[in-house]
Amino acid sequence: RLLLRLIEPTSGSVKLNGAGQVTGGDSSLPTISDDGTEVSFLSAATNVTEWSAYYDAVRDRPPHETVLEALESFAEPGLAVDLGCGDGRDTVELLRRGWHVVAIDAEAEAIERLRARVGDSPALETEVARFEDARWPCAELLNAGFSLPFCHPDRFDDLWRRIHASVRPGSG
């Protein structure tokens, strides 16, 4: 089963204000086909600047509700892929619950922060790569939480096909 929930991607340049809140960009919502297999965005891909400040602002936040809801669908842990894992707020929860995780992010700093949080866990594989270019195995759970809006619209259809194809049939 494929679960997709997208939260208002933005267009233009996104920055952090002094309180660590994301500002800038025009809000737009994706359009999702009736069968839920196709997503298209109405605006250009998002760029975030000042990643260090962003990671500092979101440090110690709990896992996203979407991940917690998805985990309720599984009787036992398996293999998860976390695309655009950031500093690992969802990856850490997956590991805590016994999952093996392949965590991928374009920012080396994100992977460094994730590794600092979990150490040398044998249940964690990491890769520094844009998820449009990364390779990952088929898995029971694929989390792309809040990172899909960062995919350039010209590459989204291919990425979506790859995501859909890499979720093992009968998962969840």
Side-chain angles (χ1 to χ4, degrees), residues 7 14 17 25 32 44 51 62 72-73 75 81 87 97 105 112 143:
I7 309 298
V14 176
N17 65 19
I32 303 172
W51 282 108
E72 291 175 12
S73 301
V81 175
D87 72 344
R97 292 183 182 219
D105 200 280
E112 290 166 10
N143 178 42

Side-chain angles (χ1 to χ4, degrees), residues 3-18:
L3 171 67
L4 171 68
R5 181 176 301 167
L6 296 172
I7 309 298
E8 296 188 64
T10 58
S11 66
S13 180
V14 176
K15 297 184 179 185
L16 294 170
N17 65 19

Side-chain angles (χ1 to χ4, degrees), residues 113-122 124:
R113 287 179 180 237
L114 170 59
R115 284 285 182 191
R117 290 176 76 177
V118 300
D120 291 328
S121 171
L124 176 63

Side-chain angles (χ1 to χ4, degrees), residues 8 46 55 58 91 94 103 106 124 142 158 171:
E8 296 188 64
T46 302
Y55 297 138
V58 299
T91 299
L94 289 161
L124 176 63
L142 194 139
D158 181 56
S171 296

Side-chain angles (χ1 to χ4, degrees), residues 4 31 90 133:
L4 171 68
T31 57
D90 295 334
D133 302 320

